Amino acid sequence: DTGVSQDPRHKITKRGQNVTFRCDPISEHNRLYWYRQTLGQGPEFLTYFQNEAQLEKSRLLSDRFSAERPKGSFSTLEIQRTEQGDSAMYLCASSLKGLSGANVLTFGAGSRLTVL
Amino acid sequence: AQSVSQHNHHVILSEAASLELGCNYSYGGTVNLFWYVQYPGQHLQLLLKYFSGDPLVKGIKGFEAEFIKSKFSFNLRKPSVQWSDTAEYFCAVNAEDTGFQKLVFGTGTRLLVSP
């Protein structure tokens, strides 16, 4: 088990371009989360999946953002028509949701996006 | 609105000093509480967690936290900090009223320990 992997680690793009981030969760985990973190702030929830179903989306996730988890394994987060305000660290986390309700998230190293 | 507050944004301590970082939340009902740590250049790591039982929980590296339900608080403590504790510390909550479905973080406290 190599933990949660994210790719790429850094992405620099020009405003208006599309970018895609990939997350590979811990293999036995059934939940996958995307968070965004900007300087001086804590991680902000964007969306999460249980298996392949996207169960909740934050209002922070505008229509330019889309996330998928097609086979319940890896996930992608795409940002279309990037804006400078999208510059942030995009964090992926996974967890194994137990019957007791306990839900401990394990985070990846993040994908840092810079929009010029 | 439901939120998690960390009132100390920056803390500077000398080695061997005692540490207490405050965390308050505004959720009603049952909560699960967490402290995560982010060392320079590294990813978020779980420091400790509280689900139920003894309100004083112990985590890695000598850290502990106390859940005080009446004060909606989950403060992090360490009796004697080391230079290697320099990091950013995040309090986080997931709550029964959101089905324990997502973790909500505070804004973080940046700790600098001088040798």
Side-chain angles (χ1 to χ4, degrees):
Chain A
D1 180 7
T2 56
V4 178
S5 299
Q6 293 189 244
D7 182 70
R9 293 291 306 278
H10 299 93
K11 178 71 175 178
I12 300 173
T13 192
K14 293 182 179 179
R15 188 177 55 187
Q17 298 296 304
N18 299 344
V19 296
T20 300
F21 301 115
R22 176 181 170 122
C23 172
D24 288 89
I26 293 172
S27 56
E28 62 267 28
H29 284 183
N30 55 3
R31 287 197 164 186
L32 186 147
Y33 297 78
W34 285 99
Y35 282 78
R36 182 174 68 187
Q37 187 176 18
T38 53
L39 198 61
Q41 299 296 317
E44 297 173 296
F45 171 80
L46 293 178
T47 188
Y48 89 97
F49 294 83
Q50 178 149 320
N51 300 315
E52 66 275 10
Q54 188 172 17
L55 296 187
E56 186 174 344
K57 293 168 62 174
S58 165
R59 58 185 167 79
L60 294 175
L61 213 66
S62 77
D63 57 4
R64 296 185 297 106
F65 288 70
S66 62
E68 295 182 343
R69 194 183 183 196
K71 296 182 179 180
S73 56
F74 73 92
S75 175
T76 57
L77 176 69
E78 181 183 18
I79 309 173
Q80 296 182 324
R81 305 181 304 282
T82 53
E83 302 173 355
Q84 288 183 326
D86 297 331
S87 296
M89 179 74 86
Y90 290 86
L91 299 171
C92 179
S94 68
S95 71
L96 182 61
K97 176 70 162 56
L99 293 174
S100 66
N103 192 22
V104 181
L105 275 62
T106 300
F107 283 84
S111 292
R112 183 172 295 283
L113 173 64
T114 301
V115 181
L116 302 176
Chain B
Q2 297 172 330
S3 65
V4 179
S5 299
Q6 292 181 246
H7 302 294
N8 311 104
H9 297 295
H10 293 89
V11 173
I12 301 173
L13 295 173
S14 299
E15 275 193 314
S18 64
L19 170 71
E20 181 160 2
L21 301 181
C23 173
N24 290 90
Y25 62 92
S26 63
Y27 294 84
T30 302
V31 291
N32 294 332
L33 300 160
F34 305 79
W35 277 95
Y36 279 81
V37 60
Q38 189 166 26
Y39 297 103
Q42 297 187 28
H43 60 281
L44 279 165
Q45 302 171 41
L46 182 67
L47 199 55
L48 50 77
K49 62 186 185 291
Y50 171 81
F51 291 151
S52 63
D54 188 344
L56 183 63
V57 293
K58 296 191 183 298
I60 60 172
K61 303 185 180 184
F63 286 90
E64 64 180 30
E66 185 175 13
F67 171 47
I68 303 179
K69 188 174 182 179
S70 62
K71 295 185 177 180
F72 298 90
S73 70
F74 189 56
N75 292 355
L76 180 70
R77 300 194 293 248
K78 186 171 184 178
S80 176
V81 295
Q82 299 173 313
W83 176 78
S84 58
D85 294 324
T86 293
E88 191 156 18
Y89 293 82
F90 294 93
C91 181
V93 177
N94 63 27
E96 182 179 27
D97 58 3
T98 59
F100 300 110
Q101 290 178 351
K102 64 183 182 185
L103 205 53
V104 177
F105 285 84
T107 53
T109 298
R110 193 174 293 272
L111 172 66
L112 175 62
V113 179
S114 58

